Amino acid sequence: MLNFATRMSRGNLKRLLRRFRRPAAWMRSGRVAVGLLMLAVVTLALTSLSASLALRLGWATRIQIFPLALSGATGGIVAWILAAVIFGRIYCSTVCPLGVMQDVAARLPRMGKRWKARRPYHYSAPRTPLRWTVAVIVAICYAVGLAFVPALLDPYSAYSRIATEILRPVVGFLGGGEVVVASVWAFFIAAATLAAVWTAASMRGRLVCNTVCPVGTVLGAFSRFSLLHFDIDTDVCTNCRSCERVCKAQCINVADHVVDGSRCVVCFDCIDACPEGAIRYTTRRKRLALPMMQRVAGTAASASVSEPVRISRRRFMATGLIIAAAPAIAMAQNAASVAQRIDAGSPPLRRRRHPIAPPGRRSLSDFLQSCTACGLCVSHCPTGVLRPSTNEYGWSHTLQPLVDYTRGYCEYDCTLCTQLCPTGALEPLTQEEKHIFIIGHAHVEAGLCVGCGRCAAACPRGVITMEERPGGGRRLAVLAPGGCIGCGRCQSVCPVQPEKAITVGGLEGRL
């Protein structure tokens, strides 16, 4: 029995060594290693209890495509487009945290001795109209100021909510700290997103990436004709469908020997699974670029002998660039119109009682347009004064961070949220700049003030004094004009209940 087990272990080891001598195995293993590493780095940046570690790992959140687009980082966007044109959608399989999470969800139910036979994949036709409909809806929503929809469908923002609202409380519990959920509404959305994405991935692989993800749709427009792509050698292929059964993007059409480059996420699973080595990651196109052909309408007989209609590559790329740039152009135009509406003091904005936005924003309109509601600033706020909004900015900006002084106060020397923001919605501030940055304005309700003097003692700028009321009686807190920055320290120490005698409100108009 021992000799039999030894022979079996040696045989398995030899097969494993032979497998890893193949370049395909190394490419796939490298892709898996990079993807898991990036997933770990992004997750640590979002869930770490250490602010210094989150700052050091913040680069992983700033290279995500959606934050790059909203921050106006043209160089980063061009770099990812060039990567898609040359290599295909490698962003989706290595850098995107939601994409890697889907790979994990798809792999788990297929583990075991017979995982290939348990839940094999099958080719499915592309849902091109649906994909571009969702992408256009996302662009239109940003153009009209409905930031909630893009923030809900952006893969980075979706994963960041899962990490900050679900994983971070678990990390806090395991670390012996207090379990705090920033917002019940944000937790519900994060849980629903996790359940939907995980279920879809476990059953259909990259279905979410290739149907509702706007980033995947735009990258697919460029990767469809990428320089390096997967090509099936029809002289070697035996139609065993091994590649099709492992393709989680469901984009390998074995009947026509075509791989849909717009949906392929360059995972290298198909190359590793092919027993004949018939599928390769190469620059050649033995099938004469069939994805660029369209059949001529007519009868089946005429279609079988008619010449294919070729789509101009130059025209296709130009159209893709225009579509990709349309959201940014519309956002810039809408930001100007929103700013004018805020400056004019329209009635709908006045009825919202001027919510308090975090420090570091250039203007309220710019902040609302640039923020992806990723929750990075909320999860790392040391005093917990930030929380995801519900309807304070309007329902169209749900989940974007809001300063809530009923939960705490803004630390006078803290600039962490401005340093962590990956989109530039909050500009980085130094401590000196933070000391003079106006977050809001305090207001004293004379009829409620009991004259205890706690607010005056707590004010870090010393702009609150206690003065005698006219005609005698208890003292009254008085603010020096132009000195308050709205940090909320006074409100947090005010003992008056249930309504505070001194409160901080947001600023009206352009900030």
Side-chain angles (χ1 to χ4, degrees):
M1 179 65 69
L2 181 61
N3 291 334
F4 176 76
T6 303
R7 288 196 301 271
M8 288 296 294
S9 61
R10 288 177 180 175
N12 291 335
L13 180 61
K14 289 180 180 179
R15 284 193 294 271
L16 184 64
L17 291 175
R18 283 198 302 268
R19 181 173 178 269
F20 274 91
R21 288 194 189 103
R22 299 169 56 190
W26 286 107
M27 288 188 290
R28 180 180 180 276
S29 300
R31 187 269 306 171
V32 172
V34 173
L36 292 177
L37 177 63
M38 285 300 303
L39 179 64
V41 170
V42 173
T43 304
L44 278 176
L46 293 167
T47 62
S48 172
L49 301 179
S50 169
S52 59
L53 180 60
L55 286 173
R56 286 197 295 269
L57 300 179
W59 60 269
T61 64
R62 287 188 287 271
I63 64 173
Q64 305 296 324
I65 287 184
F66 217 68
L68 284 173
L70 294 185
S71 63
T74 307
I77 295 297
V78 171
W80 279 122
I81 290 177
L82 289 177
V85 170
I86 298 174
F87 303 104
R89 286 172 55 182
I90 57 171
Y91 169 86
C92 301
S93 59
T94 57
V95 177
C96 177
L98 192 69
V100 179
M101 189 195 78
Q102 290 178 74
D103 288 346
V104 174
R107 183 70 177 89
L108 289 178
R110 294 168 176 82
M111 294 181 67
K113 190 174 181 179
R114 298 181 179 179
W115 71 271
K116 292 183 180 179
R118 289 175 63 188
R119 292 178 181 238
Y121 295 109
H122 300 285
Y123 171 78
S124 64
R127 301 172 178 83
T128 304
L130 174 61
R131 296 168 66 189
W132 281 107
T133 299
V134 174
V136 170
I137 289 175
V138 169
I140 292 175
C141 287
Y142 252 116
V144 299
L146 302 180
F148 174 69
V149 175
L152 192 65
L153 297 180
D154 166 41
Y156 162 71
S157 300
Y159 181 79
S160 66
R161 280 190 294 275
I162 294 172
T164 57
E165 299 297 333
I166 299 177
L167 298 182
R168 197 169 195 275
V170 175
V171 172
F173 173 77
L174 296 177
E178 184 181 1
V179 179
V180 178
V181 177
S183 167
V184 175
W185 173 238
F187 175 82
F188 172 78
I189 293 179
T193 302
L194 176 61
V197 173
W198 192 277
T199 302
S202 62
M203 297 177 62
R204 298 289 300 275
R206 289 295 189 111
L207 178 67
V208 173
C209 291
N210 289 327
T211 52
V212 300
C213 177
V215 175
T217 300
V218 174
L219 288 180
F222 296 97
S223 66
R224 184 177 182 182
F225 307 111
S226 59
L227 180 64
L228 286 167
H229 56 276
F230 292 93
D231 186 83
I232 301 176
D233 190 339
T234 54
D235 295 334
V236 181
C237 179
T238 60
N239 292 336
C240 68
R241 296 185 179 272
S242 296
C243 57
E244 179 182 343
R245 294 189 185 100
V246 300
C247 179
K248 50 182 167 280
Q250 298 180 297
C251 64
I252 300 179
N253 186 352
V254 178
D256 292 337
H257 296 90
V258 172
V259 180
D260 184 358
S262 69
R263 293 185 290 161
C264 175
V265 294
V266 198
C267 66
F268 298 107
D269 289 351
C270 55
I271 298 182
D272 191 44
C274 182
E276 308 297 334
I279 185 167
R280 300 176 182 177
Y281 187 54
T282 177
T283 58
R284 69 175 184 146
R285 292 190 182 272
K286 187 172 182 180
R287 295 291 298 174
L288 300 179
L290 279 178
M292 295 181 65
M293 299 181 181
Q294 294 179 345
R295 294 188 180 277
V296 177
T299 63
S302 63
S304 62
V305 298
S306 60
E307 291 294 327
V309 177
R310 297 185 178 275
I311 302 174
S312 169
R313 183 189 295 260
R314 181 176 299 177
R315 180 178 299 175
F316 178 85
M317 296 297 288
T319 303
L321 286 171
I322 293 173
I323 294 175
I329 296 173
M331 286 164 52
Q333 294 174 344
N334 186 68
S337 64
V338 172
Q340 292 175 358
R341 193 166 64 247
I342 293 176
D343 292 335
S346 60
L349 290 176
R350 289 184 182 276
R351 286 197 296 268
R352 290 205 292 264
R353 300 179 60 186
H354 314 304
I356 309 171
R361 75 277 181 199
R362 290 176 292 272
S363 67
L364 183 59
S365 59
D366 180 84
F367 167 73
L368 295 178
Q369 286 293 320
S370 301
C371 176
T372 64
C374 69
L376 189 59
C377 58
V378 174
S379 64
H380 290 287
C381 180
T383 61
V385 72
L386 293 180
R387 68 167 175 83
S389 64
T390 50
N391 195 41
E392 290 82 1
Y393 297 123
W395 70 268
S396 59
H397 296 284
T398 299
L399 300 179
Q400 292 182 326
L402 174 82
V403 179
D404 186 354
Y405 286 129
T406 63
R407 303 162 60 98
Y409 60 92
C410 184
E411 182 62 49
Y412 189 56
D413 294 326
C414 177
T415 60
L416 191 58
C417 60
T418 70
Q419 304 292 331
L420 288 173
C421 182
T423 67
L426 303 178
E427 290 187 331
L429 298 178
T430 64
Q431 283 192 358
E432 292 75 17
E433 292 172 334
K434 171 67 182 303
H435 291 169
I436 61 175
F437 190 93
I438 300 177
I439 307 171
H441 282 309
H443 172 74
V444 178
E445 188 65 40
L448 297 176
C449 182
V450 297
C452 65
R454 292 185 183 182
C455 56
C459 180
R461 293 182 58 81
V463 298
I464 302 178
T465 58
M466 304 303 298
E467 299 181 1
E468 296 293 335
R469 294 174 183 264
R474 61 179 182 267
R475 298 180 301 170
L476 175 68
V478 177
L479 279 79
C484 177
I485 63 170
C487 68
R489 189 70 177 263
C490 54
Q491 179 175 331
S492 67
V493 300
C494 180
V496 180
Q497 295 292 342
E499 185 178 352
K500 299 284 187 176
I502 183 168
T503 57
V504 179
L507 302 179
E508 179 181 357
R510 180 173 283 273
L511 307 181

